[in-house]
């Protein structure tokens, strides 16, 4: 799995702490444990993960796309950060964006203080760099970073037991907080190249992650196209479960393309105002095609790219049984709302407002989603710098 062949480099101990017991956390933990010299700890609030792992002989199993299986017993699994992070070299946060503020407060005082510790989020969107800077103010040795997207899709999680791996990204892109020096950036790159099989590349500015089109516009647009005021299932229930992408509607793809166009306009305004290069932030359709390549059977339209991407197969939309009617409804407690809308879309709307960029479709979709989820409990605006873009 590793990119490097030098024996001394590969065997040098590397302590990795993963914070988050969801699909991405499970999959990364298993894959990292296949590597020589890598010690993996998992911090999770899921009690069943801890109990099952402690009582399991084989640990956690990852089922690969070809049906092969990898299993791993982790070095430590716990629900509290005390003692778990003492020797961490790399900390990877995989919890949803709306859970990150509380998690960072919990781990801040438990990070090592006598060496650099590389604290990052996968994916790194929703302004993680701003959040981490504020939360880790007492840990100046923390190097703040994020990954542009998840390295693999993951699904069918049975907590503490197994997870299935979907398609892998062809290249992984990482960014660091603007405060980090070149030595810290290169050391981070070295660590992540050791951990991941796909090539890892450093971005020039963290805004390339924050402004990359992804779940905030993808999930909110698709939901709007499913149950919004113009949608087929508006005020109706679904008769059976459905998938996010293979069942995406034409209306959802339409709003997604409009939102993506407005997001690109925002990028241009940021480039001009801050004099930064955001050329790596490409239109969403192009981003998906470049990330998944021949895993997509039909590159023709946004809709066909979503529906025929093998890496997206079997990823179910967040449905729950309806309370008063037969069938299913969109789960208002889903991270598609409390992460992607409150921490992703809210940030885009505010950035556009401050730069006087017109984003009518994004604003319309944001307003409706907020109403549908019964209002914001918290949002990225809680830590978005009041002085930005100054």
């Amino acid at each position: 799995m590793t990119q490097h062949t030098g024996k001394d480099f590969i065997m040098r101990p590397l302590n990795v702490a993963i914070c988050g017991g969801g699909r991405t956390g499970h999959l990364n933990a298993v894959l990292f444990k296949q590597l020589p010299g890598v010690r993996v700890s998992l911090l999770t609030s899921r009690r069943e993960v801890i109990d099952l792992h402690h009582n399991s002989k084989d640990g956690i199993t990852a089922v690969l796309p070809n049906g092969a299986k990898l299993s791993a017993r982790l070095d430590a699994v716990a629900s509290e950060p005390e003692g778990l992070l003492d020797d961490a070299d790399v900390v990877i946060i995989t919890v949803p964006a709306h859970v990150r503020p509380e998690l960072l407060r919990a781990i801040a005082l438990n990070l090592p203080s006598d060496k650099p510790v590389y604290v990052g989020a996968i994916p790194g969107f929703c302004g993680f760099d701003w959040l981490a800077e504020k939360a880790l103010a007492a840990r100046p040795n923390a190097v703040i970073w994020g990954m542009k997207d998840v390295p693999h899709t993951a699904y069918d999680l049975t907590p503490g037991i197994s997870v299935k791996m979907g398609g892998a990204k062809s290249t992984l892109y990482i960014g660091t907080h603007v405060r980090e020096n070149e030595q810290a950036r290169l050391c981070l790159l070295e660590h992540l190249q050791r951990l991941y099989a796909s090539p890892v590349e450093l971005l020039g500015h963290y805004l390339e992650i924050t402004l990359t089109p992804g779940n905030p516009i993808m999930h909110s647009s698709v939901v709007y196209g499913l149950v919004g005021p113009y949608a087929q299932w508006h005020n109706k229930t679904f008769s059976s479960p459905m998938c996010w992408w293979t069942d995406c509607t034409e209306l959802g793809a339409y709003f997604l393309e409009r939102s993506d166009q407005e997001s690109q306009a925002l990028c241009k305004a940021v480039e001009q105002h801050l004099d930064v290069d955001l050329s790596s932030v490409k239109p969403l359709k192009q981003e998906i095609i470049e990330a998944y390549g021949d895993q997509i059977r039909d590159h023709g339209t946004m809709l066909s790219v979503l529906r025929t991407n093998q890496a997206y197969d079997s990823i179910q939309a967040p449905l729950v049984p309806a309370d008063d009617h037969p069938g299913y409804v969109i789960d208002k407690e889903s991270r598609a709302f409390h992460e992607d809308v409150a921490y992703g879309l809210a940030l885009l709307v505010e950035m556009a407002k401050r730069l006087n960029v017109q984003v009518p479709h994004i604003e319309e979709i944001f307003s409706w989603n907020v109403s549908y989820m019964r209002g914001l409990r918290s949002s990225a605006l809680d830590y978005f710098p009041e002085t930005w873009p100054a």
Side-chain angles (χ1 to χ4, degrees):
M1 289 185 57
T2 180
Q3 302 276 310
H4 301 271
T5 57
K7 184 176 180 181
D8 292 340
F9 175 82
I10 294 175
M11 295 307 296
R12 191 165 68 225
L14 184 67
N15 297 316
V16 180
I18 297 174
C19 300
R23 298 185 299 271
T24 297
H26 275 68
L27 181 57
N28 278 265
V30 174
L31 296 179
F32 295 163
K33 277 303 295 178
Q34 312 304 310
L35 302 172
V38 176
R39 185 178 188 275
V40 181
S41 302
L42 180 67
L43 178 66
T44 175
S45 61
R46 295 175 182 253
R47 187 70 239 178
E48 70 270 30
V49 173
I50 300 170
D51 293 340
L52 285 167
H53 192 269
H54 284 169
N55 296 320
S56 168
K57 180 180 68 174
D58 298 323
I60 301 170
T61 297
V63 182
L64 306 186
N66 63 4
K69 297 180 179 180
L70 297 174
S71 295
R73 280 196 54 79
L74 309 185
D75 297 280
V77 183
S79 61
E80 299 296 333
E82 289 82 5
L84 196 75
L85 304 174
D86 290 351
D87 297 321
D89 298 304
V90 178
V91 177
I92 299 177
I93 295 171
T94 65
V95 299
H98 59 288
V99 181
R100 291 176 189 167
E102 181 180 355
L103 173 68
L104 280 166
R105 285 192 292 270
I107 71 172
L109 296 180
N110 293 283
L111 295 171
S113 59
D114 59 345
K115 64 177 180 178
V117 55
Y118 298 83
V119 182
I122 297 180
F125 58 8
C126 301
F128 175 77
D129 56 333
W130 293 315
L131 169 64
E133 178 187 22
K134 183 176 181 179
L136 302 179
R139 284 288 182 266
N141 60 306
V143 177
I144 297 168
W145 63 277
M147 188 174 287
K148 190 173 179 178
D149 200 351
V150 292
H152 318 81
T153 56
Y155 61 102
D156 279 4
L157 172 66
T158 303
I161 298 176
S162 65
V163 65
K164 290 184 178 179
M165 182 172 82
K169 299 294 189 304
S170 57
T171 304
L172 306 180
Y173 297 95
I174 58 171
T176 60
H177 193 288
V178 292
R179 73 183 192 185
E180 312 304 353
N181 61 41
E182 193 63 15
Q183 181 180 354
R185 283 165 53 83
L186 292 177
C187 188
L188 167 67
L189 181 62
E190 184 179 85
H191 288 327
L192 297 183
Q193 285 176 332
R194 177 178 178 182
L195 292 173
Y196 290 103
S198 295
V200 183
E201 296 184 8
L202 269 169
L203 297 169
H205 200 288
Y206 201 93
L207 281 171
E208 295 174 76
I209 293 177
T210 300
L211 290 170
T212 289
N215 287 348
I217 66 170
M218 291 178 74
H219 287 154
S220 59
S221 298
V222 170
V223 169
Y224 194 62
L226 285 172
V227 296
Y230 314 110
Q232 180 179 350
W233 286 279
H234 181 62
N235 290 333
K236 297 179 182 178
T237 60
F238 299 94
S239 60
S240 61
M242 61 188 305
C243 294
W244 266 127
W245 312 117
T246 49
D247 295 324
C248 180
T249 65
E250 292 183 9
L251 188 60
Y254 168 83
F255 281 112
L256 179 52
E257 288 195 281
R258 296 298 176 270
S259 295
D260 185 42
Q261 290 170 357
E262 293 172 359
S263 178
Q264 286 290 306
L266 175 59
C267 286
K268 297 300 182 186
V270 172
E271 279 188 314
Q272 294 172 6
H273 194 94
L274 295 181
D275 192 25
V276 296
D277 181 6
L278 299 180
S279 58
S280 73
V281 183
K282 299 167 185 174
L284 179 61
K285 179 185 167 189
Q286 184 178 348
E287 288 269 359
I288 297 173
I289 291 173
E290 290 184 2
Y292 294 105
D294 58 10
Q295 296 180 76
I296 302 170
R297 296 187 297 276
D298 185 347
H299 292 188
T301 66
M302 177 71 79
L303 185 63
S304 69
V305 165
L306 296 175
R307 285 183 173 179
T308 68
N309 186 353
Q310 292 176 318
Y312 287 172
D313 284 351
S314 305
I315 301 177
Q316 291 199 337
L319 302 183
V320 293
D323 290 333
D324 50 358
H325 297 285
Y328 301 86
V329 295
I330 301 287
D331 182 8
K332 293 181 172 65
E333 294 302 310
S334 166
R335 62 190 292 177
F337 297 107
H338 296 285
E339 176 178 44
D340 298 328
V341 174
Y343 281 81
L345 212 58
L347 192 58
L348 297 182
V349 170
E350 182 64 19
M351 294 172 82
K353 184 184 301 182
R354 295 189 191 183
L355 290 176
N356 295 315
V357 178
Q358 300 302 307
V359 290
H361 290 90
I362 290 178
E363 288 181 347
E364 175 183 338
I365 292 167
F366 174 70
S367 178
W368 180 87
N369 272 270
V370 169
S371 175
Y372 187 80
M373 64 190 278
R374 303 191 188 101
L376 299 177
R377 300 171 191 171
S378 59
S379 77
L381 304 188
D382 296 336
Y383 54 80
F384 184 36
E386 293 181 2
T387 57
W388 192 91

